[in-house]
Structures are given as structure tokens and as C-alpha cells.
Amino acid sequence: MESVITKKERDCIISLHDNFSLPVRLFNIAEMLNIKAPTAHELVNRLISKRILQKNNGVISLTNYGDRIYGDIMTAHRTMEIIFTESGVNSDEACSEIEKIDYLMDKKSIEKLLVNIGSPEKCPHGKPVKP
Amino acid sequence: MESVITKKERDCIISLHDNFSLPVRLFNIAEMLNIKAPTAHELVNRLISKRILQKNNGVISLTNYGDRIYGDIMTAHRTMEIIFTESGVNSDEACSEIEKIDYLMDKKSIEKLLVNIGSPEKCPHGKPVKP
DNA sequence: CATAATATTAGTAGTATGCTAAAATATATA
DNA sequence: TATATATTTTAGCATACTACTAATATTATG
């Protein structure tokens, strides 16, 4: 059941969740990720076959499983963001560096890091650590 | 001049440096990385074209540049290892999880993390943070 | 219905990873 | 030195991922 995803797949999951309240269609994803429609089509199909995304009448959304993956990535991201900024790394810098690794990090280890820094509710940007 | 490397390339760099005192040849690398000779050949050639490895009479070694990359990876690895274990993550577990990300981490951020934890000389395994 | 907007398919390409089989080179040993 | 063994390299093939253009199909909208 382990989900091995790529950086592009990660970006797709995050922007699908974050950048829209309205229904998201393929061309929106292509736009958000700055790729052409056929490339987005491939990417989305890969994520659908991994049961992370689903499509209904052209509207693409996260499955429950995908939503859990999103949460895990964000928790890892924000936990690391707190650790980085507390060490003096600029928060934007921290954010862009952590994007490279958040989707690869172990959930259990992140949980321990989070407890160790006092289980804060929010990251430096004011967003919830556990979305 | 930024070095973008892959996980396999990272593993090659690390095992080349660590697992041998004797001259390392292609078949040693294939053995260490558990891949066949032609695959190792490709990998090594890629790293040679990136000026990370060099070959003299069949003996493969890190260039000065490659050695710097090795050092950066190990510093990132051990810095994170300290942070993880101080949060209660088992050190072997920490090690295997950090292998997935150490080669992707930003040098400047790592430097700040390291200062923040008191610039220790050694990691939980007793190895120098700055090799 | 016709036009516009979206989605999909087909075809191509590059990088990274991996393999087997065969050929070429070295290195040892008899 | 000649043969045998070890090692390297080439060739050919395959898969996953990312990405494109051009063309076709589908779905909305006027």
C-alpha cells in the first residue's frame, strides 16, 4: 500500500487541492502546472491508476486516499518549515527547498519531529500543520 | 554549476567513497549497487560526464568536485540524522529515511540547521558531520 | 446546427534505470 | 607466448516519467 510518487505527481496533488475551490478540469491542471494538455492528461491518468485522483464528468478530484496523501505531504512540509525557519532559514527559501523533499519523507519520523517541536498547530505562513 | 543528481547517482558516489579503500573498478561498483555491469557502466559514464567521477586505467574515483558533493551529502545526512534521533527516531530508521532526501537538500539551509543544533562534530553513529 | 472549448489519441523525443548477449580488452597462468 | 579467465564495452531492448505537436473526438454554448 505504499505510495511512491514523483515530484510532478506531488505538485499535481498539491495544486489540485490548494489552487481551486471550483471544479478542476484537465485544462486547469495543465495551466496550474505549466504543462500542455496531453502532458497533464498523462499525469492525471497515472494518478488515477494509482487511485490518488478520480474523474467525474471531466471534473478531477482527490480520492480519499489522495486526500490522505495530501495531508501527509503538508504535515511533512509544514513540520520541516518550522524546523528550518527556527534555525534561521527564510520562510520562502525554506518552502521552496522543502518542496523537493516533503513528499519523500516518512510519516512516522515526521510525527516524532512534530511532537519534539511541541506539536504546533500552524506553520510560519499561518497554515495548519495538520490540514 | 548546480549539480542535479539522482538517487542512484547519489548511491554510487557514497559507496564509491565509503565501501572501499582499495582501487574501485566497474565490477566493484556493479557489485556494491547490486546492478549488472552494463548498467553500472552507464551510471558511471553519466557521472563522468557530470565531472563527478573520473577513470584512470579502469580505476574509478571521485573528482575534487565529486568529493565536494560527497561531503555536502554527508553533512546533510548527518545533520538530519542528529535532528531525527534527537526527536526519538531510531538511528537506523533515521539513516534509511534520510538517504532518500540528503542529496536533494540545500547546502545553505543545512548549514543553518547545523549551527542551530550546536555544530556537533559527530553524528549518532560517531561519524564526522563534516567529512 | 455550427462554433468554440475541452479532451483525447497518436506519434515523437529525451533522461534515467535496468537487462541479456555478444564482442572487445586486459590480465593471468600454464 | 598462447590460452584461459576476468573485465569492460557495445548493441539491442524494455519500462517509467516527462514533455511536446498535430490531429481527432467530444462536449458545451450560442
Side-chain angles (χ1 to χ4, degrees):
Chain A
M1 271 305 127
E2 192 156 312
S3 65
V4 179
I5 62 171
T6 65
K7 176 62 161 54
K8 262 287 137 71
E9 289 169 355
R10 177 246 183 236
D11 290 345
C12 186
I13 292 166
I14 304 300
S15 50
L16 185 54
H17 186 283
D18 289 357
N19 296 140
F20 274 85
S21 39
L22 305 164
V24 178
R25 328 195 96 251
L26 193 70
F27 80 96
N28 299 123
I29 290 178
E31 224 169 54
M32 297 185 296
L33 300 178
N34 253 292
I35 57 183
K36 302 297 174 188
T39 306
H41 189 252
E42 277 285 307
L43 178 59
V44 166
N45 279 356
R46 253 200 330 277
L47 285 166
I48 289 172
S49 75
K50 289 182 184 179
R51 320 249 217 95
I52 291 170
L53 299 188
Q54 59 197 3
K55 187 155 46 170
N56 291 304
N57 306 322
V59 175
I60 298 158
S61 57
L62 289 166
T63 61
N64 288 343
Y65 174 51
D67 221 59
R68 258 179 283 137
I69 291 176
Y70 170 82
D72 292 344
I73 294 172
M74 289 322 288
T75 300
H77 186 93
R78 289 169 186 161
T79 299
M80 291 304 291
E81 222 163 36
I82 293 165
I83 291 171
F84 272 45
T85 53
E86 280 181 355
S87 295
V89 181
N90 166 274
S91 73
D92 290 333
E93 180 81 5
C95 186
S96 67
E97 288 303 325
I98 293 164
E99 276 175 7
K100 298 180 194 163
I101 59 169
D102 54 14
Y103 68 104
L104 297 169
M105 300 190 80
D106 178 52
K107 195 178 172 173
K108 277 184 286 182
S109 302
I110 288 295
E111 206 47 57
K112 289 186 177 166
L113 291 174
L114 193 54
V115 169
N116 192 250
I117 56 176
S119 304
E121 306 265 307
K122 303 205 167 180
C123 80
H125 296 99
K127 293 185 180 170
V129 173
K130 300 223 167 187
Chain B
M1 269 304 126
E2 193 156 309
S3 65
V4 179
I5 62 171
T6 65
K7 178 60 162 55
K8 261 288 137 72
E9 289 170 354
R10 177 244 182 236
D11 291 344
C12 186
I13 293 166
I14 304 300
S15 48
L16 186 54
H17 186 283
D18 289 357
N19 295 139
F20 273 85
S21 38
L22 303 166
V24 178
R25 327 196 96 248
L26 193 71
F27 80 95
N28 300 122
I29 290 178
E31 223 168 55
M32 295 185 299
L33 300 178
N34 253 293
I35 56 182
K36 301 297 174 186
T39 306
H41 189 252
E42 278 285 306
L43 177 58
V44 166
N45 279 357
R46 253 197 335 274
L47 285 166
I48 288 172
S49 75
K50 289 182 185 179
R51 319 247 221 94
I52 291 170
L53 298 189
Q54 58 197 4
K55 186 153 50 167
N56 291 305
N57 305 322
V59 175
I60 298 158
S61 57
L62 289 167
T63 61
N64 288 343
Y65 175 51
D67 222 59
R68 256 178 285 138
I69 291 176
Y70 170 82
D72 292 345
I73 294 171
M74 288 322 288
T75 299
H77 186 93
R78 289 170 186 160
T79 299
M80 290 304 291
E81 221 163 37
I82 292 165
I83 292 171
F84 272 45
T85 54
E86 280 181 355
S87 295
V89 181
N90 165 274
S91 72
D92 290 333
E93 180 81 5
C95 187
S96 68
E97 288 305 325
I98 293 164
E99 275 174 7
K100 297 180 194 163
I101 60 169
D102 54 14
Y103 68 104
L104 296 169
M105 300 190 81
D106 178 51
K107 196 178 171 173
K108 277 185 286 183
S109 302
I110 287 295
E111 205 48 57
K112 289 185 177 166
L113 291 175
L114 193 55
V115 169
N116 192 249
I117 56 176
S119 303
E121 307 264 306
K122 304 205 166 180
C123 80
H125 296 99
K127 291 184 180 170
V129 173
K130 300 223 167 189

